[in-house]
Amino acid sequence: MDRGTTAPRGVRALLFLLVWLSVAWFGSWELNPNNATRMFAALSLVEQGDATIDEYAPLTIDKAQFGPHAYLDKAPGMTLTALPAVAIVDRWSGTTAAGQNLSFYDPTLARFLRLRMRVAVATGPAWLTALAAVLLFDWGMALTGQAGAGLVAALGYALGTPIWGWSGTITGHAVVAALYVIAGWCLWRATGPGERRVGLALAGGMALGWAVVVEYQAVLAGGAIALWAAARAWPRADRWRVLGLAALGGVAMLVPLALYNLLAFGTPFRIAYAGVTGFAGMQQGLFGLTWPRPKVLLEIVLGDRRGLVWVAPILVLGVPGLARLADDGRTRGLAAMAGGVVAIVLLVNAAYFYWDGGNSTGPRHAVPAIGMLALGLAPFWAERGRWGRVATAALLALSMAVNLVIAAADIFAPPDYRWPVWTYVIEQRFRPGALQTWPGEWLGWSAWSGLSAYLAVALPLMAVLLWRVRRGSCGSPAPGARHRG
């Protein structure tokens, strides 16, 4: 990294605020099973001190059964992340689940869950996605010497893909994507030539460890990041210190997982997926994972029901961007790591029995790949001429508009719609005004007033951000700024 390459003043803070606000402004359906089962487990832990969800079991199809008790059937990371929000809202509001009518059709229960979930999103996924966007900005700027290139990568990642919508849920997909970026950036800085910020190795290891607590399969793509970091650290005289701190951070983050399993199941080694009910496909292979299927992989990327390209067209440009990094020996390792993460996530998705993710706008199980693919947007932008940048900016604007609609309307499109962004999200949710904004949910504003208020805040923020980047742009890459990968 070139230490002379610095961001224009205030850009990182503005970017963080824009992304965090954009995520927190909108929401998702609190009774979607993926949201609800995690929140039910959080309520039980906070209010009852146990991990069973027996009283909530009729309200969700996502659950595990061990003996007479029902449990969360997911990795517990997002539930554990939501615990402070649930505890704070319970204390502030003076209400608990014990006073609710546990009926799927009771609007009071929906509002009770919605408040806790919105606070959990604002203090968890929204914060992590905003942080990852800032780090992608820094990463892209350091690789190219251009603040504009870093900004394209950051905005493409956070607001030009379904990362935006999934960050408004308490599912783990967007959080794992953010943790991969955070881990990659920390370990890149900690292992770079001449860098002495070895404490970042601890943070990088912690990010990888927590990713596994959020989604167990994250260990696979996370392993690619860990191997890349180890290879970068190996020539250093202090390699054992760097690698030891990274390993310590990863192991430390697994402790809450072991404690949760011990509380729930009496042993730290049981996985809730072993008790999943109602989904027979989970008995195939390793908890639903078999072999990647080429036809499914094609559907994940280009299919008319789940294709990633149709919900995040800007990511297409990340592929030649990563290829450009691979062309140079000094960034080849970084490109191999990023490409490896993308490939592993997509192949795992293609190997999963329930690859389509049920209700999902785009391929939700492929979302963890987005951060590393978006990194390629920075070198792609840096090497475009004027009209190439105009075309790239237009595609980014289109991607951001599509994902604004998705985030505001519904990230959980039913599986039976072809071209769901149009046939379901726009036609059945957005156009009729079925939007989920916090002014609409808590202040009684109309759907369009809530959306207009967001635009009235976000567009000036965006304008100031672009102005600062343009005004302080580095122009051509600083000598040696690029290729310290």
Side-chain angles (χ1 to χ4, degrees):
M1 177 180 177
D2 177 22
R3 297 177 186 275
T5 304
T6 58
R9 185 177 179 182
V11 164
R12 291 184 178 89
L14 284 169
L15 177 60
F16 184 96
L17 179 60
L18 174 64
V19 173
W20 181 87
L21 179 75
S22 296
V23 172
W25 197 280
F26 303 103
S28 63
W29 187 35
E30 58 279 344
L31 281 168
N32 174 275
N34 277 283
N35 279 329
T37 191
R38 290 174 167 91
M39 183 54 64
F40 294 153
L43 288 166
S44 289
L45 286 167
V46 169
E47 298 178 2
Q48 302 172 23
D50 67 56
T52 64
I53 60 168
D54 297 336
E55 62 270 47
Y56 306 108
L59 302 177
T60 179
I61 59 173
D62 285 357
K63 52 199 169 190
Q65 193 76 30
F66 292 99
H69 297 298
Y71 298 87
L72 168 72
D73 65 340
K74 319 289 184 186
M78 293 309 299
T79 286
L80 299 177
T81 301
L83 293 182
V86 171
I88 290 168
V89 175
D90 275 9
R91 183 174 180 83
W92 170 78
S93 66
T95 60
T96 66
Q100 305 302 311
N101 175 25
L102 298 183
S103 168
F104 195 83
Y105 304 101
D106 189 338
T108 303
L109 175 64
R111 188 175 177 85
F112 173 89
L113 295 173
R114 188 182 308 131
L115 177 58
R116 285 150 181 80
M117 199 181 84
R118 297 296 184 268
V119 175
V121 163
T123 57
W127 189 88
L128 285 170
T129 294
L131 175 60
V134 171
L135 298 185
L136 268 178
F137 166 76
D138 182 83
W139 211 345
M141 182 178 63
L143 289 171
T144 64
Q146 299 182 28
L151 187 61
V152 168
L155 292 178
Y157 157 75
L159 302 182
T161 74
I163 287 286
W164 189 349
W166 289 113
S167 297
T169 74
I170 54 171
T171 65
H173 316 301
V175 166
V176 171
L179 290 169
Y180 282 164
V181 170
I182 293 166
W185 182 89
C186 288
L187 294 170
W188 168 71
R189 290 295 302 271
T191 58
E195 293 281 2
R196 289 294 178 266
R197 300 186 179 186
V198 294
L200 287 174
L202 178 67
M206 291 172 68
L208 289 180
W210 193 249
V212 176
V213 181
V214 172
E215 288 188 355
Y216 295 130
Q217 69 271 24
V219 69
L220 300 173
I225 299 174
L227 289 173
W228 162 77
R232 277 175 58 86
W234 200 252
R236 297 171 59 109
D238 61 349
R239 58 181 174 271
W240 293 115
R241 183 184 177 199
V242 171
L243 296 178
L245 283 171
L248 177 63
V251 171
M253 289 296 98
L254 298 180
V255 172
L257 171 63
L259 293 176
Y260 169 84
N261 285 340
L262 191 62
L263 174 66
F265 312 122
T267 171
F269 305 111
R270 174 171 287 176
I271 293 179
Y273 285 136
V276 170
T277 64
F279 293 92
M282 294 295 290
Q283 306 305 315
Q284 296 196 19
L286 179 64
F287 303 121
L289 289 176
T290 54
W291 296 100
R293 292 156 286 174
K295 183 179 179 181
V296 171
L297 185 60
L298 185 64
E299 288 290 325
I300 292 167
V301 177
L302 291 170
D304 58 13
R305 287 182 170 84
R306 287 292 179 268
L308 182 61
V309 167
W310 312 121
V311 292
I314 189 63
L315 289 181
V316 171
L317 306 183
V319 177
L322 291 181
R324 180 64 188 91
L325 291 180
D327 282 342
D328 191 289
R330 289 165 292 184
T331 51
R332 191 165 295 145
L334 173 61
M337 179 274 287
V341 169
V342 173
I344 291 168
V345 171
L346 293 179
L347 290 172
V348 170
N349 192 172
Y352 187 39
F353 184 88
Y354 298 106
W355 65 270
D356 67 345
N359 284 22
S360 173
T361 306
R364 65 185 178 93
H365 295 300
V367 165
I370 288 175
M372 290 302 172
L373 186 52
L375 180 62
L377 296 175
F380 182 87
W381 172 272
E383 299 194 350
R384 298 308 99 188
R386 178 182 178 184
W387 292 110
R389 291 188 177 189
V390 168
T392 302
L395 186 60
L396 175 58
L398 173 64
S399 294
M400 291 171 65
V402 167
N403 283 282
L404 169 61
V405 170
I406 292 171
D410 201 348
I411 193 64
F412 291 113
D416 49 346
Y417 285 84
R418 296 183 64 193
W419 311 112
V421 172
W422 180 260
T423 59
Y424 175 74
V425 175
I426 293 177
E427 287 292 320
Q428 298 195 34
R429 300 287 298 176
F430 191 81
R431 286 181 62 180
L435 310 183
Q436 301 171 101
T437 69
W438 74 262
E441 292 174 340
W442 307 110
L443 301 180
W445 292 18
S446 71
W448 301 116
S449 295
L451 180 60
S452 297
Y454 165 75
L455 294 174
V457 176
L459 290 180
L461 270 177
M462 178 74 74
V464 174
L465 181 60
L466 293 174
W467 176 75
R468 285 190 177 275
V469 167
R470 183 175 178 82
R471 186 166 178 255
S473 175
C474 299
S476 300
R482 198 173 181 276
H483 310 314
R484 293 289 188 94

